[in-house]
Amino acid sequence: MTEIFDCADAEQRATGIASAISAVKGGRLVVMPTDTVYGIGADAFDREAVAALLAAKGRGRDMPVGVLVGSWTTIDGLVYSVPAAARELIRAFWPGALSLVVTQAPSLQWDLGNANGSVMLRMPLHPVAIELLREVGPMAVSSANVSGRPAAVNAAAARDQLGDLVEVYLDGGPAEQQAASTIVDLTGAQPRILRTGPISAADIARVLDVEPSTLTSTPTE
């Protein structure tokens, strides 16, 4: 049965996070607040749960799911080799509204969709999300909406779109940024912005000490 928990209430927050932990570990879906938009999440290492996440969104494997982490150090176990640019951007913007596409560690036994050996990682700037992630480990997370519809910026909007396909909704109030994260691809010879968001190309260029024009932006959904 679907449950919604108001995380502004300390008792509901504790119960809600415990329920979300149980749901994720049991292969079920949860909705959580983040600093950008609300996310629908599952255990990143549970293939059936990730497939259920894609199905709930009406999304194909051609749009693989990103992964949220609860600490800076988690990335070392998920990435084949962490580029220097990734470390610089992590120091500058994590936790926050920056997603990094990197080459995943080949030993990882997960299936996030047709990612061609890469994974998109982010550490969100939201205490409820961080608490959940530190309890359950890396989670496959996508925006909490049906594909093609606006990303949910509050729990009610997520519930309206996803309904009973999600077991636990953690209501953390309106998302602060109300915009999807900036995505930077670090798998090639040069960093490349795939989606612009709250963190600008100028901000990224400043950290990497490059000209913003070198970070050619490619629109994505």
Side-chain angles (χ1 to χ4, degrees):
M1 184 180 73
T2 295
E3 295 183 278
I4 304 173
F5 298 91
D6 180 2
C7 293
D9 177 275
E11 186 174 342
Q12 282 201 47
R13 171 175 167 157
T15 304
I17 289 177
S19 297
I21 291 168
S22 176
V24 173
K25 290 184 175 179
R28 298 178 296 277
L29 304 178
V30 304
V31 160
M32 70 175 81
T34 82
D35 48 323
T36 55
V37 296
Y38 270 66
I40 176 174
D43 180 350
F45 296 96
D46 185 328
R47 294 176 181 229
E48 291 184 4
V50 174
L53 187 160
L54 289 170
K57 285 179 61 76
R59 179 165 160 173
R61 288 177 51 80
D62 58 317
M63 298 183 67
V65 185
V67 172
L68 294 189
V69 297
S71 73
W72 293 271
T73 56
T74 304
I75 188 173
D76 291 307
L78 304 177
V79 176
Y80 175 68
S81 177
V82 182
R87 296 207 184 274
E88 292 171 10
L89 292 171
I90 286 169
R91 280 194 293 267
F93 300 116
W94 277 18
L98 181 69
S99 298
L100 300 176
V101 179
V102 290
T103 302
Q104 72 168 55
S107 60
L108 289 176
Q109 297 299 307
W110 63 17
D111 183 0
L112 303 170
N114 299 331
N116 299 315
S118 68
V119 62
M120 185 173 73
L121 300 173
R122 185 168 85 88
M123 181 181 177
L125 181 59
H126 197 290
V128 172
I130 291 295
E131 186 172 348
L132 177 59
L133 289 162
R134 287 183 174 171
E135 288 293 333
V136 302
M139 288 181 63
V141 179
S142 181
S143 55
N145 61 287
V146 173
S147 188
R149 294 180 62 185
V153 296
N154 56 55
R159 178 71 173 82
D160 287 345
Q161 294 193 48
L162 299 168
D164 293 339
L165 297 174
V166 171
E167 181 160 310
V168 174
Y169 289 83
L170 298 176
D171 184 351
E176 181 180 356
Q177 299 285 354
Q178 303 207 0
S181 63
T182 299
I183 302 175
V184 178
D185 184 352
L186 298 173
T187 60
Q190 299 293 332
R192 185 165 60 101
I193 295 176
L194 301 183
R195 180 177 70 197
T196 55
I199 296 172
S200 69
D203 293 333
I204 293 164
R206 193 175 304 114
V207 170
L208 298 180
D209 194 24
V210 299
E211 291 296 323
S213 60
T214 67
L215 303 167
T216 52
S217 180
T218 304
T220 63
E221 181 182 62

